[in-house]
Amino acid sequence: MEAGQVSSAATRRALVLTGHLKEIDKGSSLVVRQPCLEYSPPELNSEPAFDIELMQGLLDGHDAQTRTFIFNLMSESDLFVSRRVGRRVFLGADYNQPMEVQRELTMKRIQYFLDRGVFRGWLTDDRPQSALRMAAMFEYIGLFDHSLAIKLGVHFHLWGGSVKYLGSKRHHDKWLMPTEEFSVIGCFAMTELGHGSNVRGIETITVYDPSTQEFVINTPCESAQKYWIGGAAMHATHTVVFSQLHMNGKNEGVHAFIAEIRSPDGRICPGVRIADCGHKIGLNGVDNGRIWFDNKRVPRENLLNSVADVTPDGRYVSNITDADQRFGAFMAPLTSGRVTIAVSAVYQSKVGLATALRYALSRRAFSLSPNEPEVLLLDYPSHQHRLIPLLAKSYAMSFAACDLKRIYYNRKPEHAKIIHVLSSGYKAMFSWHNLKTLQECREACGGQGLKSENKVGQLKAEYDVQLTFEGDNNVLMQQVSKALLGDFFTSQKKQQPMKGLGLEHMNEPPPTIGTNANVRDVKFQLALFRLRERDLLVKLAQQVRELVSKGSTMANATLASYQLAEDLGRAFSERSVLESILSVENSLAPSPEKTILGLLRSLFVATTVDEDPVFLRHSYLSPDQALSIQKEVASLCREIRPFILSLVDAFGIPAPFLGPIAFDWIAANSWDLEEARS
């Protein structure tokens, strides 16, 4: 048929249809309206399972009243309200606003907290319970907005923490209270254009002038400019500068100095140049900047001197003579960033899961047969498989995060290694989990996941940076394995048993994995995870030794073994997480809470095994066992499905921190609401 004939035939059909429609009266019964979809709350599609308040207490670990206090404080101000839908109020930052507006609002929100005494004692109260109280507030502030949490984290944890833990009494007396009061606004100048994770390699240079008793700081080349410095572009008045200290022709390594970069009236100080890093894919409420130093002079007393000092006449003094040990002691107190990132990542994964799972308990799609209602998204096995294993992982990681906080905030000098290793492994593991979870939740919400107001999609951009700052995740996993390898070599050299880092299991004979083992059996789970960890450690040691025997340096041999090293880092972290959830489970008497945690633990293990090719690659499991475990993932998802809403509610995420699709998404998109807006 030719084009003209096609057009003519189409016109005739259109005319016939038009004639039929004209014959239908407006009130005719020939037009029958089908009943519209109605919102069905998740509560109608779930079963009560356990004591939700008790479970939330286990997940949060501490300071329930503090969390309620900071949430109520935010709820009382329009600075934190993003939208009202009927009687429901939503809290959150508006990421559609220009960068300049987001930055201004971040400072206004900080001032709001400051006026109400929120920051009192954050640096000057040394009690562990005060630190945990601050951590609880940070976690809930982060639920509101990542930029606000990071801006405060830079000021208190990085700037304030450096002054507190790298400095001495003279620094504490001068700087800590003004920092709490925000009469000083601090930032943290470590990262450079040319050096990030490799702090030892930074190129900023500082020398000492004994004639004036001042340090002179310089940026010798463009790659030495300080980069991504939160707070530097607009608001910070002072910074901790990390620099190579050259004394009498010798480089004494990286040290930290306090430098003023802005006067109280906001003018940039002499000897300092500052530029804005500009717009980012997320965190636009933080004013990241770049800093150059041109013969910037600071008083001798501004050297943070907990590890080393310089006398007025220019002598370098330190109780630690070994440069490597001195660098380690210098960096050890700066682990708070990794701790807070690990905890924050778990909380954000909960926001994504709470949103996607509540939506999946109310949204339907497709009927399995004619005249039957459409099926809830969460009743599809594939949808369960997408989200419920991630829920189990977030539960397990929550308990591990609580353990990490308890160690960190009650730390003693002998805890330095375990804090470094755990915070490195958890920061990597948990932030990877968060991004994977947010991506899956975004997709599971369909088109609604793309709307900024529903948060999930936007959180991906906001939290992507967690994979990079405070240490690249792959580098951190290699640091974990490096520490384990060092302990293993030391143990063998001294012919002593392994001690610390949870590696005592290596002093026992290797566990045997039976062919008929039950994946839900605790002994099987521990044996399997410990077998993987010990075998990867032995294989890594063998590979490194073999390369060294062929002429490689220890450093190059370790670098060449990066695949085994990263696998070992994950194995250590996942074994530690398993032990954390098991510890909580064992603390409970027989109860519904204990039963559901057992199911979640088993799903965490089964999913981890199913996703990690290492278990088959190194024959820890047979193909038949791997297939059986994969089937067990689906079975556990089905068993946990009826209790999903209770599990989500136990996250304790206040409803205003979620997006509209977590609730009545039909009402949130109604024309009546649109008219009310305009």
Side-chain angles (χ1 to χ4, degrees):
M1 188 180 290
E2 294 181 0
Q5 292 175 303
V6 171
S7 175
S8 177
T11 301
R12 284 198 302 272
R13 286 197 298 272
L15 289 171
V16 170
L17 287 170
T18 302
H20 286 312
L21 291 172
K22 284 180 179 178
E23 293 173 6
I24 300 175
D25 184 74
K26 287 185 178 180
S28 170
S29 61
L30 294 176
V31 178
V32 180
R33 278 189 84 172
Q34 296 296 319
C36 290
L37 266 176
E38 291 184 357
Y39 173 70
S40 176
E43 288 75 10
L44 298 180
N45 303 304
S46 302
E47 298 176 15
F50 49 80
D51 185 331
I52 291 173
E53 188 174 346
L54 172 61
M55 188 70 84
Q56 182 184 342
L58 295 172
L59 287 167
D60 286 336
H62 60 92
D63 288 282
Q65 291 182 339
T66 296
R67 297 170 198 275
T68 301
F69 161 76
I70 198 69
F71 166 69
N72 288 339
L73 205 59
M74 287 188 276
S75 302
E76 292 167 2
S77 172
D78 284 345
L79 280 170
F80 299 88
V81 174
S82 59
R83 186 180 177 191
R84 289 181 169 85
V85 179
R87 295 182 178 179
R88 190 176 289 280
V89 175
F90 293 95
L91 304 183
D94 184 353
Y95 300 114
N96 296 316
Q97 292 178 318
M99 178 181 71
E100 296 76 13
V101 175
Q102 292 187 50
R103 291 175 173 182
E104 180 184 355
L105 283 170
T106 298
M107 286 306 296
K108 285 183 177 179
R109 288 161 183 151
I110 289 173
Q111 187 64 50
Y112 175 82
F113 288 145
L114 182 65
D115 292 342
R116 286 152 184 81
V118 168
F119 309 131
R120 194 173 297 121
W122 277 26
L123 289 170
T124 54
D125 187 341
D126 293 328
R127 295 173 301 168
Q129 58 264 41
S130 178
L132 284 167
R133 183 173 180 273
M134 179 176 71
M137 284 195 266
F138 255 106
E139 288 153 21
Y140 265 45
I141 289 170
L143 290 175
F144 168 77
D145 177 33
H146 195 202
S147 286
L148 181 56
I150 292 299
K151 184 83 168 179
L152 289 171
V154 168
H155 181 71
F156 283 104
H157 287 311
L158 298 183
W159 154 266
S162 295
V163 172
K164 187 169 184 176
Y165 299 117
L166 298 181
S168 56
K169 186 176 185 301
R170 73 187 188 209
H171 304 105
H172 303 164
D173 293 344
K174 183 174 182 179
W175 300 104
L176 293 186
M177 186 57 75
T179 298
E180 277 189 11
E181 296 170 346
F182 272 84
S183 55
V184 163
I185 300 177
C187 63
F188 183 83
M190 177 182 281
T191 298
E192 296 179 354
L193 178 61
H195 290 87
S197 295
N198 180 19
V199 178
R200 286 182 190 240
I202 61 176
E203 298 175 284
T204 302
I205 293 175
T206 298
V207 297
Y208 182 66
D209 181 355
S211 67
T212 60
Q213 295 188 23
E214 292 175 314
F215 291 103
V216 185
I217 306 172
N218 272 288
T219 302
C221 50
E222 288 296 351
S223 59
Q225 64 181 273
K226 296 299 182 180
Y227 215 97
W228 293 124
I229 311 306
M234 293 181 64
H235 302 128
T237 61
H238 292 74
T239 188
V240 173
V241 185
F242 289 80
S243 169
Q244 305 289 351
L245 175 59
H246 289 197
M247 295 293 298
N248 304 314
K250 180 184 178 183
N251 183 1
E252 298 289 356
V254 177
H255 291 67
F257 307 84
I258 293 174
E260 185 177 12
I261 59 174
R262 277 189 184 83
S263 63
D265 61 3
R267 288 179 298 171
I268 296 175
C269 294
V272 178
R273 288 176 284 149
I274 297 177
D276 201 315
C277 286
H279 195 273
K280 309 178 288 290
I281 64 171
L283 278 181
N284 283 301
V286 177
D287 52 315
N288 293 89
R290 302 147 61 195
I291 309 176
W292 294 256
F293 298 100
D294 306 307
N295 292 317
K296 172 65 179 176
R297 287 180 171 266
V298 302
R300 182 185 69 88
E301 294 79 11
N302 282 23
L303 168 65
L304 296 176
N305 63 343
S306 66
V307 174
D309 207 347
V310 172
T311 63
D313 62 353
R315 286 183 301 110
Y316 181 80
V317 292
S318 175
N319 292 327
I320 305 174
T321 56
D322 182 83
D324 289 339
Q325 290 181 7
R326 192 163 61 234
F327 180 77
F330 182 71
M331 296 301 293
L334 302 178
T335 54
S336 65
R338 291 197 294 272
V339 174
T340 54
I341 289 170
V343 176
S344 167
V346 179
Y347 271 92
Q348 297 309 317
S349 74
K350 294 176 185 177
V351 173
L353 287 164
T355 302
L357 285 165
R358 287 185 64 88
Y359 187 59
L361 285 166
S362 65
R363 180 71 152 82
R364 296 176 180 272
F366 303 106
S367 300
L368 299 184
S369 59
N371 302 318
E372 285 192 359
E374 294 181 278
V375 178
L376 277 173
L377 293 182
L378 200 57
D379 285 337
Y380 284 102
S382 59
H383 212 77
Q384 294 174 12
H385 200 184
R386 295 174 73 176
L387 297 178
I388 298 179
L390 295 172
L391 175 85
K393 287 186 176 184
S394 287
Y395 260 76
M397 291 177 193
S398 289
F399 300 128
C402 286
D403 285 343
L404 176 60
K405 282 190 289 183
R406 276 189 284 269
I407 297 171
Y408 180 75
Y409 291 117
N410 293 280
R411 64 191 179 279
K412 296 178 181 177
E414 59 267 28
H415 296 146
K417 177 178 279 189
I418 186 64
I419 290 172
H420 167 68
V421 176
L422 272 182
S423 65
S424 297
Y426 284 178
K427 184 267 183 183
M429 179 184 177
F430 296 0
S431 59
W432 271 328
H433 165 72
N434 182 35
L435 262 290
K436 178 181 179 180
T437 299
L438 291 172
Q439 178 64 34
E440 197 63 62
C441 290
R442 205 295 299 155
E443 294 180 38
C445 292
Q448 290 295 323
L450 297 172
K451 293 190 72 175
S452 296
E453 67 179 14
N454 289 326
K455 291 198 171 184
V456 180
Q458 186 64 43
L459 288 178
K460 282 181 6 183
E462 288 293 309
Y463 282 87
D464 197 315
V465 68
Q466 286 194 335
L467 279 59
T468 300
F469 66 15
E470 294 291 333
D472 174 87
N473 280 0
N474 291 285
V475 174
L476 290 179
M477 279 301 186
Q478 291 181 43
Q479 286 188 14
V480 170
S481 62
K482 183 179 179 181
L484 303 182
L485 188 63
D487 276 14
F488 183 69
F489 282 154
T490 299
S491 172
Q492 289 198 322
K493 183 178 180 180
K494 294 184 177 181
Q495 296 184 331
Q496 293 177 345
M498 297 288 288
K499 185 178 180 181
L501 301 179
L503 296 176
E504 290 81 1
H505 66 88
M506 294 192 66
N507 301 323
E508 305 295 329
T512 302
I513 305 299
T515 55
N516 297 318
N518 178 3
V519 71
R520 302 191 189 197
D521 180 70
V522 171
K523 291 181 180 179
F524 167 77
Q525 294 169 359
L526 285 170
L528 184 59
F529 273 40
R530 288 170 177 172
L531 174 64
R532 173 182 56 157
E533 182 182 28
R534 71 185 292 150
D535 187 65
L536 288 172
L537 180 50
V538 170
K539 281 182 166 62
L540 177 61
Q542 290 172 341
Q543 183 166 309
V544 168
R545 281 173 171 154
E546 181 180 348
L547 291 171
V548 169
S549 70
K550 293 178 180 179
S552 176
T553 65
M554 178 65 75
N556 286 335
T558 304
L559 288 175
S561 306
Y562 72 93
Q563 289 175 309
L564 275 172
E566 291 180 17
D567 287 342
L568 174 59
R570 280 190 290 272
F572 166 83
S573 302
E574 289 166 353
R575 186 265 304 159
S576 300
V577 169
L578 172 58
E579 290 177 351
S580 283
I581 186 172
L582 186 57
S583 175
V584 174
E585 188 183 341
N586 288 340
S587 72
L588 299 174
S591 60
E593 294 78 29
K594 188 181 182 78
T595 300
I596 198 71
L597 285 182
L599 293 173
L600 292 168
R601 167 181 44 78
S602 293
L603 182 54
F604 163 70
V605 170
T607 303
T608 300
V609 173
D610 188 41
E611 292 174 346
D612 189 353
V614 162
F615 289 96
L616 280 174
R617 183 185 299 150
H618 298 297
S619 301
Y620 307 141
L621 294 171
S622 68
D624 286 344
Q625 286 175 309
L627 183 60
S628 175
I629 287 173
Q630 184 186 50
K631 292 178 180 178
E632 193 67 19
V633 171
S635 177
L636 284 162
C637 286
R638 285 194 301 272
E639 286 185 54
I640 294 169
R641 155 64 185 93
F643 315 119
I644 287 299
L645 185 61
S646 294
L647 289 166
V648 165
D649 286 347
F651 282 158
I653 308 296
F657 285 142
L658 303 178
I661 57 165
F663 307 100
D664 189 341
W665 40 271
I666 294 178
N669 288 279
S670 68
W671 179 252
D672 288 345
L673 186 62
E674 195 64 31
E675 284 190 317
R677 277 181 179 176
S678 54

